[in-house]
Amino acid sequence: MNKQMLTGNVAAAWGARLAGIDYLPAFPISPQTEIIETVAEWIDTGVMDATMTTLDSEHSMLTAAGGAAATGVRVFTATSSQGLLYGMEMMYALAGWRVPLVLINVSRGLGAPITLEPDHNDVLAARDSGFLQLHCSTCQEILDSILIAFRLAEDKRIRLPVLVNLDGFYLSYTREPVIIPEPKEARDFVGPYDPGTVRFKADAPISEAVAVLGGEAYSYFRYEVQVAARKALEVYEEIAAEFQAAFGRSYDKIDAYRADGAEYLFLMIGSFATKAMDAVDQLRAAGWKIGLLRPRLLRPFPDRDLRILAAGRKGIAVVDQNLSFGRGGILHTEVTSSLYGQPGAPPVIAGFVGGLGGRDIAAEEFYQMAEDLKKACRKGVQPPMRLLYTAGELTAMRKLQTIAHAVRPEGGRDEKH
Amino acid sequence: MYRIRFHGRGGQGMKMASHILGTAFFLAGFEVQDAPRFGAERRGAPIFAYVRAQRDPIKERGIISHPGLILVADESLVPMPAAGILDGVEKSSVLFLNSREDAATWKKRLNFPGKILAMDLIGADLNVPGGQRFFGAICAGAAAALVGVIPEDILLQAIEAELTHVEAEVIRENKTRALAAFQAMMEYSGIVKEGGGRQAAKFKKPEWIEVPFDEAGVSAPAIHGSRTSELMKTGAWRLRRPVINTSRCKGCWWVCSTFCPDSAIVAKDGRPHIDYDHCKGCMICMVQCSAHAITLVNEYEAEEADKSE
Ligand code: SF4
Ligand code: SF4
């Protein structure tokens, strides 16, 4: 077995290598750049047989990716944060073109203020683009998800681009032992790419991505993306089952950790979900009946799986590493709308927002979230959303503001909670 | 779980230290996680890297808030709050300082709750050009001995695995130094113990607050005062100090101050003066001065000389 210490970025590069990609359009951005640097080196040294083109921006990069994918070659690309937003117009276009490709996003908080460290506002801004979304929490899962993502994107029933998300720093620059599948086994799983009707060629011209006027035609095409994306739930299940049979690792649409017999559940996506697993272990050791749900698929949203897993529980604590300003956590909204009115749905779904811009979520904060959830369940009242922030953090912030000469109005004092 | 944090400056190989130690643990059959913590820093700025290792799969993630071992490559970082060296220390923490001063002095100075070890493992390399490139292997060697579960041969294997892009001679030198550090620390072998998780039965409540409403004039990310960067004493990042030899300086048209990327040289009374509170020690001024009036002095030695004056 080939098991090596790999960063999340290098694991992503391995995913592309094992999937046998043909084309990589690239534009650098931290903390993603190591992915394209790694693939570029493999192409340079002849380890990989693929074409790489550097573009002038993420917008051009995604346009090139879509153009290449339309010709029926296997396309892989990667970006992060501001880059994802800059290319966003093309994400909607590519999904509309119905071209299969795999895009990696290495999550990083959005400006302003500018930062390098992770949260999920970037990837969730792409939520409605038509790209399917897979979210990873370990370096192994990144490599494996890329293989699965190509199968999903290229499936004739689906033919939609797939985004695989990994967190900057906590995965991108973090090394963990990763099993690298045998190249032949990986190629057998992903399979040769049969583009079928994806065949934009000079000798067989077609007009792709036509304009339509009048809502009827427009609605049809948009609804078809919706229907295909929903279809992807069952197709994903088939592919994940095949993956498990081939490699022994299982990737359910929602990863349920110690959820059996749990009265309470945490719900999170991404790398910090492993911290929630740790918290579940500690809370279980202290007598709690608690578990974790980690949706891997966010688009399409696995409603049915969530409803089954959530039924009969007392409450769920949704921990969002993102913030929809003026509303709250995005996952919280998704989860409540998915469970509303469903038989056995937990009466309390508490919303917590934390881990923005790489801020840690301490073990003690998970324990406190569990206690707050339990308290709310006892009262039977949905608690107000909590933004995780401590007195110590605010004090440190006030010091920075003093240096920055941000003067607060006379008597501006911070109240303790 | 072993939780180890390496502290040093950008350019001192702390990422390499974490990679060598991480791979050594991995080769010794442990589950491992290692990571550097980059920011927008540059050479000389405080940085850290960390390693987690245990026999079972690791769920903990992100920065290590309660380290079992803190290994500091450069003692001048200790008083810098931004370096965060003492963050999260507990009774069970071991602090290793690469220092010219002894452990008792540090113990008194820091009021450290755990054990302190101090030894000068890199002194010989500090003054040699390029010597810093060995700090990573030296620190990894010391840490490997302190945890006491990594044999010598595995440490050497890890160095070979991590230094794939360098010449054989450099690998050999790294190995020699790592081994010397390993052996120097062997009397403390096993002093660093695996720590448990954070107990949920009885835990310290996080001091959560309601985020206050601040008017946009305060809460927008703007720096209002001018010259606030003067308050940031980036001179502390300096490892090498440029010194102007006044007898050689021709008071030209301020080539040095024109080229200084940090505007740390000002002309006063017809002479250049270096603002050591902000000079980061890049030595560009030294290279640019055609009169060869600027020389390099090792920062530590310059500070010692300042003290004795
Ligand atoms: S460049 Fe050299 S000669 Fe010119 S002012 Fe600076 S130190 Fe003096
Ligand atoms: S070394 Fe010279 S050029 Fe560099 S920051 Fe200091 S004064 Fe400026």
Side-chain angles (χ1 to χ4, degrees), chain A residues 2 14 17-20 180-190 247:
Chain A
N2 184 4
W14 267 104
R17 174 167 161 178
L18 292 172
I180 302 173
E182 282 305 310
K184 190 184 169 308
E185 286 173 27
R187 286 305 285 270
D188 285 350
F189 171 76
V190 182
F247 302 102

Side-chain angles (χ1 to χ4, degrees), chain B residues 243-246 248-259 265 267 270-272 274 285-286 288-294:
Chain B
V243 175
I244 298 176
N245 179 340
T246 44
R248 286 195 79 110
C249 168
K250 298 204 163 32
C252 65
W253 39 281
W254 318 117
V255 169
C256 52
S257 78
T258 309
F259 276 93
I265 306 184
R271 289 283 157 208
I274 298 179
C285 53
M286 179 182 82
Q288 294 297 337
C289 172
S290 55
H292 308 303
I294 302 179

Side-chain angles (χ1 to χ4, degrees), chain A residues 25-34 36-37 52 54-58 61 78-80 83 108:
Chain A
F27 189 83
I29 183 169
S30 283
Q32 169 283 123
T33 309
E34 189 186 9
I36 53 169
E37 278 173 351
M52 172 172 160
T54 53
L55 278 303
D56 57 85
S57 72
E58 289 85 356
M61 178 185 93
T79 188
S80 176
R108 161 179 155 189

